[in-house]
Amino acid sequence: MAAAVSLFGVACFLWVILGDLFADLDSAAALPEPLEMIGPLAFQLGWLTLLVMLVAAKPRLLPAWSPLLVLVGFLLFAANLDLLPIGALLLMAGTDSCGPHVQAIVRHGTKDSRPTGRESVLSSKAHPNGE
């Protein structure tokens, strides 16, 4: 559900951006006013929910400070657009540790089926190309 909410927010955001870039698109298919406000909020809440779910998972897949950094970054965007570079750095720092965990889940199906310790070393030796 959180992923769907995030994707809805991304779609609304892209619609607004494309409307800004192409005036004909904006006049032909303008995004309704309520969606212009709800879209970014849906994206932010969906993203934060996904991060919190990764923190709450057993075993913990992200450090607890990760969603907090992302939240502070979003709050900086809302406070003043001049703080955009600092907010972007906070978003990057908050999501930096997502990469290895997401890659492992995609590669091995679920977080519980990932090889750990000696199993991962043995599987990488058995399959030199990493498969």
Side-chain angles (χ1 to χ4, degrees), residues 2 15 18-20 26 55 66 76 81 86 89 97 105 108 114-115:
W15 195 340
L18 288 174
D20 288 345
D26 190 38
V55 168
S66 180
L76 287 178
L81 286 179
I86 297 168
L89 288 174
S97 57
I105 290 170
H108 298 289
R114 286 182 288 171

Side-chain angles (χ1 to χ4, degrees):
M1 181 67 168
V5 170
S6 293
L7 288 175
F8 171 75
V10 168
C12 290
F13 175 75
L14 289 176
W15 195 340
V16 170
I17 295 300
L18 288 174
D20 288 345
L21 293 175
F22 305 103
D24 294 338
L25 177 68
D26 190 38
S27 63
L31 186 66
E33 282 287 326
L35 292 181
E36 285 186 22
M37 188 183 322
I38 293 171
L41 290 174
F43 171 68
Q44 294 170 358
L45 291 175
W47 195 6
L48 285 169
T49 302
L50 290 171
L51 291 175
V52 168
M53 289 170 64
L54 289 172
V55 168
K58 300 290 183 196
R60 179 173 283 166
L61 298 175
L62 283 181
W65 48 262
S66 180
L68 294 174
L69 286 179
V70 172
L71 176 63
V72 170
F74 284 146
L75 292 175
L76 287 178
F77 296 159
N80 188 344
L81 286 179
D82 290 336
L83 299 173
L84 191 68
I86 297 168
L89 288 174
L90 289 173
L91 291 181
M92 285 183 3
T95 58
D96 183 51
S97 57
C98 291
H101 301 293
V102 172
Q103 289 172 1
I105 290 170
V106 169
R107 196 175 307 123
H108 298 289
T110 65
K111 66 181 181 288
D112 296 330
S113 64
R114 286 182 288 171
T116 58
R118 185 171 167 80
E119 293 173 29
S120 64
V121 172
L122 292 176
S123 67
S124 64
K125 287 181 181 177
H127 303 287
N129 61 358
E131 294 180 16

